[in-house]
Amino acid sequence: MRLPTSAAAIAAALILPCAAHAADAPVQVTLDASKPGAVIDRHVFGQFAEHLGSGIYGGIWVGKESTIPNTRGIRNDVVAALKALKVPNVRWPGGCFADQYNWRRGVGPERKAAAGEPNTFGTDEFMDFAQQIGTEAYVSVNLGSSTAQDASEWLEYMTSSTDSALGAERAKNGHPEPYKVAILGLGNESWDCGGAMSADFYVNEMKRFSHFVHNYNPAQPMKRVAVGPSGPDPTYTEAVMKAWKGRSWAWDIEGLSLHSYSTGGWPPHMSDIGFDEKDYAVLLKDSLGMDDTLKTQSAIMDKYDPEKKVALVVDEWGSWLAPTPGSSPGALAQQNTQRDAVLAALNLNIFARHADRVRMANIAQMVNVLQAMILTDKDKMVLTPTYHVFHMYVPFQDATFVPLTFDAGAYTTNGVTLPRVDAVAARDKAGKVWIAVTNIDPKSPATLSVSLAGVKAAKASGQTLSAPKVDSVNTFDAPNTVAPKALSAKVAGGKLTVTVAPASVTVLGLD
Ligand code: AHR
């Protein structure tokens, strides 16, 4: 029915406040601390540092002679920033780089360069870096172009006492004490850059590596991670888990790797900055697909491993966008915006909800590559919005998942619909309950009203990360455009009420 103009205006006036009210109505959340879930393993907050672009050279390693302040060649500013993140583990040296890495060229006084790789940052430098930032080593061995014997000798170099020839060589190179290798990657992307192997071929190779590549350091139990799927593809998951179920005494694994990037369509083509609201939503929608991917892969793993002994290890995840204009495409350099901060929080929330199976994850990557924590240029360093999210989520490391129920509502733009908000909660080892809230909607603030069951609290305080625009970035000249700000919220009558900015991430602790 066509209304006369004045009647249409009156009708619109009647409808609009209702619509505005619906969007502004507090999201009703129930937090039930009496029904704890799984522990959110701190290893879910792991990182990945590959010999790629300036991820290592320039980003971490500047050399002992550099004028950039360093400790034994490793940048002091980067180390200080990473220490604050309590990084639980770092995966190294790759990635596809690991699939053809020759560790021998990267130890001892005379380093032998490979094409495009000086090898001045090798095993001893990586272990020094790990020790400086206080993290555990996740070493990926070369199952692509090398042998189980070679990988076995690398582990002997790293983990044996000086009684062995390779332990003695390590001592001669300056480190008599055996290193600790907490996690061992048995190959990388063997379905692609790691040798384009069929799943069955990989399983046979992997069994030999699992059997022959030993950890000799009794002070550090070592977990082995087999190559698993790319995104939701079931092929490797089926083959590896089926073999695992029928395993003999001779081999075992404790983890299965999953690689799943947020791209908005392959190959990576979306702009890292200067994008519009549609591209904001498209990338986040793609990223939220992580939940279905984990459900698909967990269901396959459950068939063979209902007790969830094998962890799903998401050891490459994050945004993969078009390279920063002017950068070398192979360097995988991209800027990091508030959209990346929201994306990081959404994925960390998904991992928390899958904490029973997803017990490790590594964002790609740590410095200067893909969705990095830190960007450097010569002596300059800047912390990205993603860094701040990882920092704000530190209380969730090893905390116990606390269920939340809520109707997330919907945010729609340009035909793309996303949940309007997301939230997770957890209780840390000291008993304090934390809640993380993400407002996906880039245009409207959101108010959450959280009923607190099983937890007594008088106030809530923490930090919130918002930005002038969804593509706001931190630069060397303006490093604090996107920086967390203190936020406190009201708790009254067993309810926490908090209003968060558009496109923001907030973490609050209850006291
Ligand atoms: O993280 C960049 C690359 O992405 C890694 O080298 C590889 O494993 C993946 O394809």
Side-chain angles (χ1 to χ4, degrees), residues 48 50 52 91 94-97 99 188-189 191-193 259 261 316 320 332 364-365 369-370:
F48 175 31
E50 181 167 19
L52 198 166
R91 180 172 182 250
C96 299
F97 180 83
D99 296 318
N188 168 75
E189 297 197 353
W191 28 264
D192 189 30
C193 68
H259 290 183
Y261 284 97
E316 288 190 29
W320 189 331
L332 306 187
Q365 297 194 4
V369 176
L370 298 177

Side-chain angles (χ1 to χ4, degrees), residues 45-49 85 87 89-91 361-363 366 373 390:
F45 300 86
Q47 308 265 337
F48 175 31
L85 292 188
V87 179
N89 73 81
V90 178
R91 180 172 182 250
N362 300 74
I363 190 168
M366 198 171 213
M373 304 293 117
F390 271 69

Side-chain angles (χ1 to χ4, degrees), residues 145-504:
S145 71
S146 196
T147 61
Q149 178 64 27
D150 175 59
S152 162
E153 288 178 13
W154 192 14
L155 265 285
E156 184 183 330
Y157 178 86
M158 289 188 278
T159 65
S160 73
S161 75
T162 50
D163 294 345
S164 89
L166 286 165
E169 187 179 332
R170 183 195 63 241
K172 214 166 126 205
N173 290 339
H175 205 277
E177 276 303 300
Y179 292 122
K180 293 177 174 179
V181 177
I183 307 140
L184 187 75
L186 302 172
N188 168 75
E189 297 197 353
S190 304
W191 28 264
D192 189 30
C193 68
M197 301 173 194
S198 71
D200 289 342
F201 185 86
Y202 169 73
V203 166
N204 286 334
E205 293 292 296
M206 180 271 288
K207 285 181 188 171
R208 290 192 304 111
F209 274 67
S210 169
H211 180 65
F212 292 116
V213 183
H214 299 292
N215 165 37
Y216 297 97
N217 186 349
Q220 174 64 66
M222 184 182 79
K223 293 185 169 150
R224 291 151 292 184
V225 179
V227 171
S230 170
D233 188 328
T235 321
Y236 261 60
T237 320
E238 282 283 356
V240 175
M241 292 308 295
K242 189 171 175 200
W244 179 81
K245 190 174 178 203
R247 72 198 178 282
S248 72
W249 65 270
W251 71 278
D252 207 346
I253 54 169
E254 289 75 31
L256 180 77
S257 152
L258 161 70
H259 290 183
S260 184
Y261 284 97
S262 308
T263 60
W266 195 260
H269 62 281
M270 295 186 78
S271 282
D272 55 350
I273 53 171
F275 48 83
D276 58 15
E277 190 179 343
K278 181 175 182 201
D279 277 1
Y280 168 81
V282 166
L283 187 71
L284 294 182
K285 175 125 188 156
D286 183 23
S287 206
L288 285 167
M290 177 68 85
D291 188 48
D292 279 343
T293 295
L294 296 182
K295 282 182 184 141
T296 303
Q297 300 298 355
S298 298
I300 300 171
M301 294 178 81
D302 285 350
K303 273 197 307 185
Y304 301 105
D305 174 26
E307 291 172 44
K308 301 187 195 293
K309 288 187 177 158
V310 179
L312 187 53
V313 174
V314 192
D315 54 10
E316 288 190 29
W317 70 273
S319 66
W320 189 331
L321 307 169
T324 296
S327 67
S328 154
L332 306 187
Q334 64 191 44
Q335 248 299 358
N336 198 292
T337 63
Q338 180 67 9
R339 179 177 65 178
D340 289 284
V342 171
L343 185 152
L346 293 175
N347 279 274
L348 294 174
N349 295 354
I350 293 169
F351 298 152
R353 291 190 193 98
H354 288 268
D356 57 346
R357 180 65 84 176
V358 177
R359 298 195 288 271
M360 196 168 133
N362 300 74
I363 190 168
Q365 297 194 4
M366 198 171 213
V367 187
N368 291 334
V369 176
L370 298 177
Q371 191 178 346
M373 304 293 117
I374 292 172
L375 302 177
T376 66
D377 181 19
K378 300 186 187 74
D379 61 335
K380 290 180 265 185
M381 181 194 84
V382 69
L383 307 178
T384 67
T386 300
Y387 174 96
H388 292 306
V389 170
F390 271 69
H391 194 229
M392 289 160 68
Y393 270 70
V394 165
F396 284 82
Q397 294 195 15
D398 283 338
T400 301
F401 186 78
V402 169
L404 296 179
T405 43
F406 57 95
D407 177 350
Y411 150 66
T412 300
T413 183
N414 293 282
V416 185
T417 297
L418 299 163
R420 190 174 151 228
V421 295
D422 190 29
V424 291
R427 192 191 278 278
D428 70 17
K429 283 190 173 151
K432 181 165 173 161
V433 172
W434 296 84
I435 178 161
V437 176
T438 302
N439 183 8
I440 297 175
D441 189 330
K443 288 204 282 234
S444 307
T447 298
L448 281 81
S449 172
V450 188
S451 298
L452 304 171
V455 52
K456 283 206 177 88
K459 61 183 171 73
S461 55
Q463 291 189 312
T464 189
L465 188 72
S466 61
K469 295 184 292 165
V470 284
D471 71 338
S472 292
V473 298
N474 291 333
T475 63
F476 301 117
D477 295 331
N480 293 316
T481 304
V482 187
K485 293 185 184 62
L487 182 77
S488 2
K490 228 175 48 186
V491 179
K495 274 197 175 188
L496 158 75
T497 307
V498 62
T499 299
V500 292
S504 65

Side-chain angles (χ1 to χ4, degrees), residues 75-85 132-133 374 381 387:
R75 308 180 62 123
N76 292 345
D77 52 357
V78 168
V79 167
L82 292 172
K83 268 167 103 166
L85 292 188
Q132 287 191 38
I133 68 167
I374 292 172
M381 181 194 84
Y387 174 96

